[in-house]
Structure formats: structure tokens, C-alpha cells
């Protein structure tokens, strides 16, 4: 047995506890990220390990072909839907933290869509959106609104709106639960003091609630932005990117696995990462500057 001092034992324990997470992080995060950058500089097809170094040719191809970034316009639908989703989640969170009878049941009902698997959700909405026997068109016919019936997945003008709605429906419950946790951390004394001073409900929300959940709201907006840029599962499972529903990630996946150009797909993934980081920096600078007056 070694006789170690208390200080040496403490450093040994700290080193032991930190080694495992650092190794896991390097193995499953940083090494794959660096490999992705390396692959983006090659012409790797994804088969075997035969690859040639092509430098920045993949990046030149990305920025010289307009069809690569044209799919980003479809991501805009998910971003706008995400903003609406955040507002609805905050609205329901405010209501369900108040004195509402049966609020726990409403919380469960609104959170349940997030628990469902994305594939199951898409299959369910295929039956909702079907042109002939879909429940949505059937409901519109039953209430006398036949003129509102649409080919929800066949019309290019509304198909991305239909898909963005699925994303809103699925993820709103998660945002609501996060907002509820943030609202419950606000001291009730603040609202009682505001009521004594004659503050209205809107004034309480504007001057107490919003400033108190500012950091959580910032997180929600960042997640909304990144989620919109990385939209994949719902449009891919529902449409396979057909009918002008392809997003940037779908285009990247098709480039890698359909056209077997992993070098170009890796470069597209790196560009997407750069876009996400750029928008996060811009969002923080414009909307959440330190010291900004409330």
C-alpha cells in the first residue's frame, strides 16, 4: 500500500473520475468530428478505404451548385413552425401552472405526442392527410367545409406546411414541460407583490415572467433553430424528400448513401455545422445581448 497524502489522494480521485468522460468524449465526439472534416477533403465513396485527397473541391462544388442550398428554403417552414410552437408551448405552460382543475391531465395529453416514435407519428398523419379517406378531409366534409379539402401531401404549395405542423404537434409538449419547470422556479411573492400594486396579468407576464425565464427562452429558440436546420425524420419517412420536401439533411443523406459520395456529403455536414454555429452566434448577439434593457 502506498501512503499518499490527502492532496495526492484528492487529485488521484479527480483524475480517475475525469478520465472516463474525457476518453468517451474524445472517442465518440471529437474524433468523429475530426474524421468528418478529413473525409470532406477526399473523394471517398464510402466503400473500402480507397480515397484521394481533393482539398477544397467538395466545398467549391457545394457553393457553386445552387441546388445544394435550395433545399434550405424547406427548412424555413420548420423554423417558422418552431417559433409558433414555442409561443404555444409558453402559452399552455402559463395556463397549466395556474389554478386550473385537471391541469395534470392536460399536461399529459399535450406531452404524449413527444413520447410517440417519429415513424408511428408519421404513419398516423398519413391517415390524417390522405386525400380520399383521410380524417382531416372527412371532418371538413362533415362540417360543411368541402371547399377547404386539399391534397395535403400532393400540393407543393402546402405540403411543407403540413409536414411542419406534424413537427409542431410532436415537439410542443416537450417545450411546454421545460417552460413549466422554469415557471415553477419563479418565486410566488413576486406575483403577489405585483397584484398588490395593481398589475394586470399582461404586466405580470411582461415584467416578471419573461425576464425570469429569459435563459430558458434563449435555449428554446436555439433548439428551434438547430432543429429546423436539422429537420430529417418527418419529411424523409413521410415523403422520402419527394414533391419538393427535401431538406438539407435529406439532401446530404442522399448524397452519401444514394449517390455514394461520402466526401461531398461530409463537406455538406461540415457546412451545416458552420451554418448552425453562425446562426446561434447571430441570435445571441441580436436577441440576447448582455446588459440589454428589458
Amino acid at each position: 500500500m502506498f501512503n499518499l497524502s490527502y492532496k495526492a489522494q484528492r487529485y488521484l480521485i479527480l483524475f480517475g473520475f475525469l478520465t472516463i468522460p474525457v476518453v468517451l468524449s474524445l472517442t465518440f465526439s471529437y474524433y468523429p468530428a475530426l474524421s468528418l472534416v478529413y473525409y470532406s477533403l477526399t473523394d471517398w465513396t464510402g466503400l473500402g478505404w480507397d480515397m484521394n485527397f481533393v482539398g477544397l473541391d467538395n466545398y467549391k462544388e457545394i457553393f457553386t451548385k445552387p441546388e445544394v442550398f435550395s433545399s434550405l428554403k424547406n427548412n424555413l417552414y420548420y423554423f417558422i413552425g418552431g417559433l409558433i410552437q414555442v409561443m404555444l408551448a409558453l402559452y399552455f405552460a402559463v395556463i397549466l401552472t395556474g389554478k386550473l382543475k385537471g391541469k395534470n391531465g392536460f399536461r399529459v395529453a399535450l406531452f404524449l405526442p413527444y413520447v410517440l416514435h417519429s415513424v408511428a407519428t408519421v404513419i398516423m398523419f398519413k391517415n390524417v392527410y390522405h386525400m380520399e379517406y383521410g380524417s382531416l378531409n372527412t371532418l371538413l366534409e362533415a362540417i360543411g367545409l368541402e371547399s377547404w379539402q386539399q391534397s395535403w401531401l400532393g400540393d407543393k404549395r402546402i405540403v411543407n406546411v403540413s409536414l411542419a405542423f406534424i413537427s409542431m404537434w410532436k415537439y410542443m409538449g416537450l417545450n411546454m414541460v421545460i417552460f413549466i419547470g422554469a415557471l415553477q422556479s419563479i418565486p410566488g411573492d413576486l406575483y403577489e407583490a405585483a397584484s398588490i400594486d395593481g398589475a394586470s396579468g399582461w404586466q405580470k407576464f411582461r415584467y416578471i415572467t419573461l425576464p425570469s425565464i429569459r435563459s430558458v427562452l434563449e435555449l428554446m429558440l436555439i433548439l428551434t433553430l438547430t432543429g429546423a436546420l436539422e429537420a430529417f425524420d418527418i419529411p424523409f419517412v413521410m415523403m422520402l424528400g419527394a414533391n419538393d420536401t427535401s431538406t438539407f439533411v435529406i439532401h446530404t443523406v442522399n448524397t452519401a448513401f444514394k449517390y455514394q459520395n461520402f466526401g461531398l456529403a461530409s463537406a455538406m455536414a461540415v457546412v451545416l455545422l458552420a451554418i448552425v454555429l453562425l446562426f446561434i452566434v447571430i441570435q445571441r448577439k441580436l436577441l440576447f445581448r448582455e446588459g440589454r434593457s428589458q
Side-chain angles (χ1 to χ4, degrees), residues 17-274:
F17 277 106
L18 289 176
T19 299
I20 295 178
V22 168
V23 170
L24 291 176
S25 181
L26 291 174
T27 303
F28 296 105
S29 295
Y30 293 101
Y31 174 73
L34 293 176
S35 299
L36 182 69
V37 175
Y38 173 73
Y39 295 147
S40 70
L41 303 175
T42 69
D43 61 353
W44 188 38
T45 62
L47 301 175
W49 294 106
D50 295 330
M51 62 182 75
N52 299 311
F53 186 80
V54 296
L56 299 177
D57 288 352
N58 289 325
Y59 293 95
K60 292 179 181 178
E61 183 175 352
I62 291 174
F63 289 101
T64 54
K65 286 188 175 181
E67 61 268 20
V68 175
F69 287 101
S70 62
S71 57
L72 280 175
K73 72 178 188 302
N74 294 332
N75 293 83
L76 183 62
Y77 290 95
Y78 296 90
F79 179 65
I80 296 175
L83 294 179
I84 298 174
Q85 167 194 287
V86 169
M87 291 187 290
L88 290 175
L90 180 57
Y91 171 77
F92 284 113
V94 172
I95 292 178
L96 296 179
T97 51
K99 297 179 180 179
L100 180 67
K101 184 177 293 187
K103 62 182 179 181
N104 289 332
F106 288 110
R107 291 178 180 179
V108 172
L110 292 173
F111 183 73
L112 185 60
Y114 178 73
V115 179
L116 298 177
H117 194 277
S118 296
V119 175
T121 301
V122 169
I123 293 175
M124 181 181 69
F125 270 91
K126 274 190 174 182
N127 295 322
V128 172
Y129 286 144
H130 195 277
M131 178 64 184
E132 297 179 2
Y133 59 79
S135 58
L136 181 55
N137 281 341
T138 301
L139 174 63
L140 292 174
E141 181 180 4
I143 60 178
L145 296 175
E146 293 88 349
S147 60
W148 288 23
Q149 292 179 328
Q150 302 287 338
S151 177
W152 302 101
L153 300 177
D155 191 341
K156 289 185 177 181
R157 297 172 299 176
I158 62 174
V159 60
N160 285 298
V161 176
S162 302
L163 296 178
F165 176 81
I166 301 176
S167 180
M168 290 172 52
W169 181 83
K170 178 173 176 58
Y171 294 103
M172 188 194 70
L174 174 63
N175 291 345
M176 180 198 69
V177 169
I178 295 175
F179 278 130
I180 288 176
L183 292 174
Q184 289 179 339
S185 66
I186 302 175
D189 297 342
L190 296 177
Y191 292 104
E192 294 177 3
S195 299
I196 294 174
D197 291 337
S200 63
W202 167 250
Q203 289 174 328
K204 294 178 185 177
F205 177 77
R206 179 180 178 183
Y207 295 107
I208 298 178
T209 303
L210 284 182
S212 299
I213 64 171
R214 175 180 170 180
S215 59
V216 177
L217 187 60
E218 177 183 0
L219 173 63
M220 290 296 100
L221 293 178
I222 290 176
L223 293 178
T224 297
L225 175 63
T226 57
L229 290 173
E230 299 169 1
F232 169 74
D233 52 350
I234 291 176
F236 185 78
V237 176
M238 179 74 83
M239 303 292 295
L240 293 176
N243 200 22
D244 196 26
T245 60
S246 179
T247 62
F248 192 86
V249 175
I250 291 178
H251 192 58
T252 302
V253 171
N254 287 336
T255 300
F257 296 98
K258 186 177 181 179
Y259 304 110
Q260 294 186 346
N261 193 341
F262 274 74
L264 180 59
S266 298
M268 294 174 65
V270 173
V271 170
L272 178 61
L273 176 61

Side-chain angles (χ1 to χ4, degrees), residues 2-24:
F2 295 99
N3 293 322
L4 299 177
S5 65
Y6 172 76
K7 184 176 181 180
Q9 292 180 30
R10 186 176 65 175
Y11 280 121
L12 183 61
I13 293 174
L14 289 175
F15 178 78
F17 277 106
L18 289 176
T19 299
I20 295 178
V22 168
V23 170
L24 291 176

